[in-house]
Every structure is written in C-alpha cells, then in structure tokens.
C-alpha cells in the first residue's frame, strides 16, 4: 500500500485524502482490501495515533483463512461456506483446510487423520503429576489453560519456529492432544479415573469415550451424537480475529512457542464475553426458571438490572449469526435422541421476546453461536463448566492456522501505542515527608 506523494490529491480512485489542518499538508492514501495502511498515515502524521479501544476499526493483519461478513451473515473458511462444510465435511478435514488452505486429497486426508490419531496421548507426568496438583473442584477451563502451557515444557523443539516441519509437528500434536487434555480435566474434576485415548476410534468418538466411558447414562457411543459434536467442532474451528485469536497472534508475535501462545488464546476464550458465554447462557436460563418469567427478565436486562442477555450480540454479526442457524438444527436432531432439554422452551421464548423488542433490534442483537450450543452439550451430559473447554478443542485448529500465517508473513511484534492521560512530571517525595 504505497501512498501518493504529498500534495497529489485525487490521482488514485479508491483512496482517501488526509489533510493536516495545522500545516495544510495533504496525503492521498489508497484503500486496499477495504483498509488503509498506517505506514502511509505515519508519513504525514507520525505522532498522531488512532484511539481505538477494543479495536473497533483496526485491522491488525491481512489474513486468508476466514471470511466473515457480519451484515450479510456470511462465514467462510478458505472460501468454503460454513453451511456446506457443516453439512458435508468432518472436523478433521476442516482442520486440515484451515491449516493448509486447501481441502486434502484422499491420501493427504488419510495421512492427516493417521498423524492426528497417533499423537493423542499425553505424557504420563502430565496426567499423574501435573493434573493431580489441582484442587478437587478446579474449573476444567482453568486446568486446560495451564495444561496447554505446561505442554511446552515437554516439547522443547517447539521453539524452532523457523523450521516448517517442526511447526507442523507441533500443530498436529496440539490438535490431537486437545480432546485428551479436555477429557482429562473433566475426569479429574469429577473424581473419575482417566480413560486413555483409543486409536481405533475416530476423533470425536474417541473424545466422547474418554469423557464418559463406561458410564451408561451417557449415550457416548451413539453415532448421531458423535456427528453432532463433529458439526459443532466444524462451526467453532475458526472465526477470524476474535479475542482469543488475537491473543494467539499477539503472543505468537513475540515468538513464544505455540503451546505458550495457545495457552494465552485459551485464557482469552475463558472469559464470559467470549467462549465462556455458552456456560453463562445455561446459568441464565436456569435462573429464569420458566417461560412466564421471560418478559420480566428481558425488562430487567433492558433496565440494566440483570446484566446482559447471554448468547446475544456479537461484535461483527449485526444480522443472525449463521452458526446459530445451523446449531438450532443440530439441537433438534440431538434432542430426538437425548430428549428435549427442559431449558429449550425458555430459550425459544427468550429469543422470540428479544427479537420483537426495540431495545435488541435497534442494537442489532441476535442470538450468537453460544445461545444454543450449551443446550446441546447439556442434553448430551456434558457438565456446564466443560462448555468453554468444548469450544477450545476445535478452535485450536483456527488459532494454529493464524499462528502459522503470522510466522509466514514475517510479522512484527504486536505493540500498540497509548494516549497518555496521567500526571505530568513531578518530583518524588520521601515517605516520611508526605502529607
Ligand atoms: N444484552 C443486552 N444488551 C447488549 C448485549 C446483550 N447481550 N450485547 C450488547 N448489548 C448492548 C450494549 O449494552 C450496548 O448498548 P448501548 O449502546 O445502549 O450502550 C450495545 O448493545 C452495544 O454493545 P457493545 O458492548 O458496544 O458491543 P460489543 O461489540 O462491544 O460486544 C459482545 C459484543 C461482547 C459479544 C456483547 O454483545 C455481549 O456481551 N454479549 C453477551 C455475551 C456473549 O454472548 N458473548 C459471546 C459472543 S460470541 C463468541 O465469542 C463466541
């Protein structure tokens, strides 16, 4: 994105012209891919920074992984519509797609699945010594954040970031070990013995088995439920520059190893404004308790008395979240097997009331991916505090695709500027002379 010379206004059709009113200097900056380069801006205004809390209007990178048009409700991975992938693909194929940029051929797919399958085990010390150090009621997402970081101490070669083969090795390890770590966190926090990975089972089936075996209460061995989880994993695989992916990129830009960077991404996902929202949705629906209480609850949200409507709203989607549409369909299929989640009726009523209410429509607040996903997980028998962990398992492939892209782009270390608003220079006063 090269800027036109100072003073040559109006020569580039897709451009903006910046004028510094203090000096009268102008600069024409081309608009490329919907953005303008800050490098051009700095030529004219080196000491003027954008004040942009929450990155409302800042593109921190160029990316070719996920395309999202929030107004049109479009989500595509590497150009493929999410609807087609959810219908026809598998999570592991989608993971290959986001990482490699293309769908695999048969041989590539078989090799990829084989490699992932044979890296599902975690070191015995992780399970026996590290995991058992947690308090008995530790939140599984807190355990996962720490466990992902701890993996970096087992794979010292992961620091060889310049070696593409080494990078791919760590990518395979991380994608493969997420279900094992996730199930391990659950088994520990519920006091149950660890179930080792079974390399004869497919990715999702293996995860369900590690979670629930041999508890017959759960329909963990039902193929339709494995498929439902696989579809949810596809929907959660990537979502461009969200909070956790940004954390991955920021920490990755310091050239920390991928385990450490992925742990930061997990930590960002833990928050209730991001991946923790699916957990909060169930708590909110439980608190509402009955359909009759929905209007009063919505009024309380509008009046600022009940916090936010969890699972509603999105920074980018100002129309229906396309993932929510697919999830609603999956929910129907799952409930046919598990029986309907009793909270579903409250959720449907809440959606109906909110979508008719001017407060929500004027702010373009629609159900997001988290509004219905928790209902499905709960009906399948997943404990509520495992919900953010379930989000983290597939999002690992997206985080790693961005990490890989970042390293291949020779990015600079992430280091935003600030607008200082604190005290001016003043002299230190010794403690005994301070009033
Ligand atoms: N319930 C009630 N009001 C809301 C909600 C909500 N869920 N979300 C936004 N608003 C209101 C805000 O109060 C604000 O109103 P105002 O203009 O009168 O002050 C307006 O809508 C804009 O809200 P912002 O906070 O500016 O929107 P932002 O883009 O920063 O936040 C977010 C997006 C964090 C997702 C927000 O909508 C939210 O907190 N939602 C609930 C939590 C949630 O579901 N998170 C999951 C997101 S999806 C994901 O991460 C996978």
């Amino acid at each position: 994105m090269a800027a036109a010379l100072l003073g040559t206004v109006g020569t580039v059709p897709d451009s903006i012209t910046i004028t510094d009113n203090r000096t009268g200097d102008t600069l024409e900056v081309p608009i490329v891919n919907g953005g303008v380069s800050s490098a051009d801006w700095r030529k004219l205004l080196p000491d003027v920074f954008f004040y942009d809390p929450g990155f409302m209007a800042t593109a921190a990178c160029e990316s070719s992984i996920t395309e999202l048009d929030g107004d049109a409700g479009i989500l595509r991975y590497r150009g493929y519509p999410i609807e087609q992938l959810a219908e026809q693909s598998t999570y592991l194929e989608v993971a290959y797609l986001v990482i490699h940029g293309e769908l695999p051929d048969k041989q590539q797919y078989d090799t990829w699945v084989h490699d992932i399958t044979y890296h599902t085990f975690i070191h015995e010390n992780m399970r026996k010594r590290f995991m058992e150090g947690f308090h008995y009621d530790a939140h599984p997402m807190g355990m996962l954040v720490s466990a992902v970081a701890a993996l970096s101490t087992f794979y010292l070669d992961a620091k060889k970031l310049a070696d593409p083969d080494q990078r791919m090795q760590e990518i395979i390890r991380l994608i493969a070990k997420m279900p094992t770590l996730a199930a391990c966190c659950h088994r520990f926090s519920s006091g149950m013995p660890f179930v080792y990975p079974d390399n004869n089972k497919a990715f999702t089936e293996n995860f369900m088995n590690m979670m629930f075996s041999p508890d017959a209460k759960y329909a963990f061995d039902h193929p339709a439920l494995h498929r439902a989880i696989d579809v949810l994993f596809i929907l959660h695989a990537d979502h461009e520059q969200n909070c956790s992916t940004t954390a991955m990129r920021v920490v990755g830009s310091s050239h920390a190893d991928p385990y450490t960077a992925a742990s930061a991404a997990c930590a960002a996902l833990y928050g209730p404004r991001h991946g923790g929202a699916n957990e909060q949705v169930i708590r909110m629906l439980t608190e509402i308790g009955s359909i009759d209480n929905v209007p009063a609850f919505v009024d309380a949200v509008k009046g600022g008395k009940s916090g936010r409507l969890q699972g509603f709203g999105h920074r980018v989607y100002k129309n229906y979240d396309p993932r929510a549409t697919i999830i609603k369909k999956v929910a129907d299929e799952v409930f046919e097997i598990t029986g309907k989640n009793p909270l579903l009726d409250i959720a449907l009523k809440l959606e109906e009331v909110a979508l008719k209410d001017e407060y929500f429509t004027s702010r373009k607040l629609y159900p997001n991916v988290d509004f219905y996903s928790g209902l499905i997980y709960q009906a399948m028998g997943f404990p509520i505090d495992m919900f953010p962990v379930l989000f983290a398992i597939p999002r690992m492939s997206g985080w790693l695709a961005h990490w890989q892209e970042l390293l291949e782009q020779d990015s600079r270390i992430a280091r935003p500027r600030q607008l200082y608003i604190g005290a001016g220079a003043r002299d230190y006063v010794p403690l005994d002379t301070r009033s």
Side-chain angles (χ1 to χ4, degrees):
M1 290 193 206
L5 292 173
L6 284 181
T8 53
V9 177
T11 52
V12 183
D14 281 343
S15 64
I16 56 165
T17 300
I18 309 161
T19 304
D20 184 343
N21 292 331
R22 297 166 302 181
T23 60
D25 288 343
T26 62
L27 179 71
E28 192 174 350
V29 184
I31 301 171
V32 179
N33 295 327
V36 293
S37 162
S38 72
D40 290 345
W41 172 275
R42 286 201 309 275
K43 285 180 192 158
L44 180 66
L45 298 163
D47 299 322
V48 178
F49 303 111
F50 287 106
Y51 176 56
D52 189 17
F55 309 118
M56 299 293 285
T58 298
C61 63
E62 290 181 317
S63 181
S64 56
I65 300 167
T66 290
E67 187 184 2
L68 205 169
D69 181 335
D71 291 324
I74 285 174
L75 173 61
R76 299 187 192 117
Y77 298 156
R78 304 284 190 183
Y80 295 99
I82 192 69
E83 293 80 7
Q84 289 180 23
L85 293 171
E87 182 79 31
Q88 299 174 54
S89 187
T90 62
Y91 166 64
L92 280 192
E93 187 182 48
V94 165
Y96 184 99
L97 173 69
V98 296
I99 297 285
H100 291 276
E102 297 296 336
L103 287 168
D105 62 24
K106 174 85 178 80
Q107 198 194 338
Q108 288 166 330
Y109 181 71
D110 289 345
T111 306
W112 174 250
V113 171
H114 174 274
D115 289 349
I116 299 278
T117 305
Y118 282 86
H119 280 92
T120 47
F121 275 69
I122 52 174
H123 195 285
E124 278 293 278
N125 279 356
M126 270 298 287
R127 183 180 70 79
K128 284 198 185 143
R129 310 189 67 131
F130 183 80
M131 289 290 188
E132 288 184 2
F134 284 103
H135 200 49
Y136 71 93
D137 59 354
H139 193 291
M141 190 64 180
M143 295 173 73
L144 185 76
V145 170
S146 322
V148 171
L151 280 184
S152 81
T153 65
F154 290 85
Y155 303 109
L156 301 179
D157 284 346
K159 295 185 192 315
K160 295 178 185 163
L161 301 187
D163 178 348
D165 294 337
Q166 192 67 48
R167 290 207 302 261
M168 192 50 65
Q169 172 82 343
E170 309 312 336
I171 286 172
I172 288 168
R173 279 188 175 132
L174 265 162
I175 292 174
K177 291 183 199 314
M178 282 301 278
T180 315
L181 288 179
C184 189
C185 295
H186 163 66
R187 304 291 291 206
F188 176 81
S189 60
S190 54
M192 290 162 74
F194 180 65
V195 177
Y196 284 96
D198 178 346
N199 290 350
N200 295 311
K201 294 190 190 314
F203 189 82
T204 315
E205 183 188 3
N206 192 19
F207 169 58
M208 299 285 264
N209 189 58
M210 287 189 285
M211 279 291 301
F212 298 128
S213 175
D215 194 336
K217 187 174 96 186
Y218 301 102
F220 62 85
D221 57 353
H222 197 300
L225 296 186
H226 302 158
R227 176 63 192 158
I229 288 290
D230 211 51
V231 172
L232 287 165
F233 281 1
I234 291 171
L235 300 182
H236 285 89
D238 192 44
H239 211 232
E240 52 118 303
Q241 311 307 319
N242 53 79
C243 181
S244 55
T245 303
T246 300
M248 182 86 189
R249 279 184 173 266
V250 168
V251 178
S253 80
S254 78
H255 285 183
D257 69 75
Y259 299 93
T260 307
S263 156
C266 276
L269 190 71
Y270 194 177
R273 285 173 160 187
H274 189 15
N278 50 16
E279 184 179 345
Q280 298 308 321
V281 170
I282 297 298
R283 298 195 193 285
M284 174 188 73
L285 296 174
T286 308
E287 185 195 321
I288 295 172
S290 106
I291 291 183
D292 299 340
N293 298 333
V294 166
F297 183 80
V298 169
D299 284 343
V301 168
K302 284 157 53 182
K305 292 187 198 121
S306 265
R308 292 190 164 190
L309 203 52
Q310 297 299 325
F312 258 69
H314 199 276
R315 170 62 59 78
V316 183
Y317 291 119
K318 300 302 171 194
N319 195 326
Y320 215 87
D321 180 340
R323 300 169 300 173
T325 314
I326 301 168
I327 282 191
K328 235 174 146 177
K329 240 179 81 196
V330 175
D332 290 338
E333 288 158 17
V334 167
F335 296 157
E336 268 184 33
I337 298 162
T338 61
K340 192 172 78 176
N341 187 325
L343 297 177
L344 176 68
D345 290 335
I346 302 176
L348 289 169
K349 183 73 183 168
L350 197 55
E351 181 181 350
E352 183 195 315
V353 171
L355 294 186
K356 279 190 202 144
D357 193 303
E358 196 270 337
Y359 175 94
F360 295 93
T361 51
S362 64
R363 289 170 176 78
K364 301 190 173 171
L365 300 170
Y366 295 91
N368 58 48
V369 68
D370 287 327
F371 193 66
Y372 286 103
S373 63
L375 291 170
I376 300 176
Y377 296 143
Q378 195 181 41
M380 284 191 189
F382 287 98
I384 294 176
D385 55 11
M386 274 298 284
F387 295 0
V389 176
L390 288 162
F391 193 152
I393 295 171
R395 183 54 60 87
M396 183 57 77
S397 56
W399 291 332
L400 291 165
H402 285 272
W403 172 72
Q404 166 108 312
E405 185 177 69
L406 168 102
L407 294 177
E408 284 171 357
Q409 284 172 343
D410 189 24
S411 68
R412 309 179 84 168
I413 190 165
R415 205 303 184 186
R417 306 301 288 249
Q418 65 166 15
L419 307 182
Y420 179 69
I421 56 166
R426 46 186 169 164
D427 291 324
Y428 178 81
V429 181
L431 184 57
D432 54 3
T433 59
R434 272 175 234 161
S435 56

